[in-house]
Amino acid sequence: MPVKVLLADDTDLQRRSIRSLLESHSEIELVGEAANFPQAMEMSNDLKPQVIVMDLHMPDDAMISPLEVKSLLNSGATGLLVISIWRDQEANVLANSFGAYTLLDKSGLDKKLVPAILAKAKI
């Protein structure tokens, strides 16, 4: 059974690129795409993804608290995987405060995203 993934990124081009990558793997089912955090919250509750792939810095979501992000995991998701162009200490601290199991650099998603999703889902 494929791993159900919800993607949340505010950049349309980035979502399309990630969608293309994920759809090329039969072990993964992309169940939805959100352009902001409120959409991700709603979709997570409705779609029950196993893994949520979320951009760490979505401009419209600057006031989101770590507790709100952690509530995504209460929807039944087994893991929150965050992606960012930043890999500094501040990004790591923020990702950890959100309860993310990993932080991936957007520039390396073509090689690291699918293995990170499958590892969390233990496939």
Side-chain angles (χ1 to χ4, degrees), residues 7-60:
L7 172 61
D9 194 302
D10 61 307
T11 306
D12 184 56
L13 181 60
Q14 186 74 45
R15 282 194 319 275
R16 282 187 280 154
S17 176
I18 294 171
R19 176 189 330 123
S20 178
L21 174 65
L22 297 180
E23 288 178 342
S24 70
H25 293 272
S26 61
E27 311 95 326
I28 295 174
E29 177 186 359
L30 183 61
V31 295
E33 296 178 41
N36 56 48
F37 184 75
Q39 271 187 333
M41 289 286 294
E42 184 177 325
M43 293 177 88
S44 180
N45 288 326
D46 293 343
L47 301 173
K48 309 292 188 225
Q50 292 167 271
V51 174
I52 299 167
V53 176
M54 186 177 83
D55 184 1
L56 185 61
H57 299 5
M58 290 191 276
D60 295 337

Side-chain angles (χ1 to χ4, degrees), residues 99-118:
Y101 70 89
T102 196
L103 168 63
L104 294 179
D105 187 326
K106 284 186 175 183
S107 67
L109 292 181
D110 59 326
K111 294 180 177 76
K112 296 181 181 179
L113 182 59
V114 170
I117 291 170
L118 297 177

Side-chain angles (χ1 to χ4, degrees), residues 80-93:
L80 175 65
L81 186 157
V82 293
I83 57 177
S84 179
I85 60 171
W86 306 104
R87 286 292 310 216
D88 57 12
Q89 183 63 25
E90 184 177 328
N92 281 308
V93 168

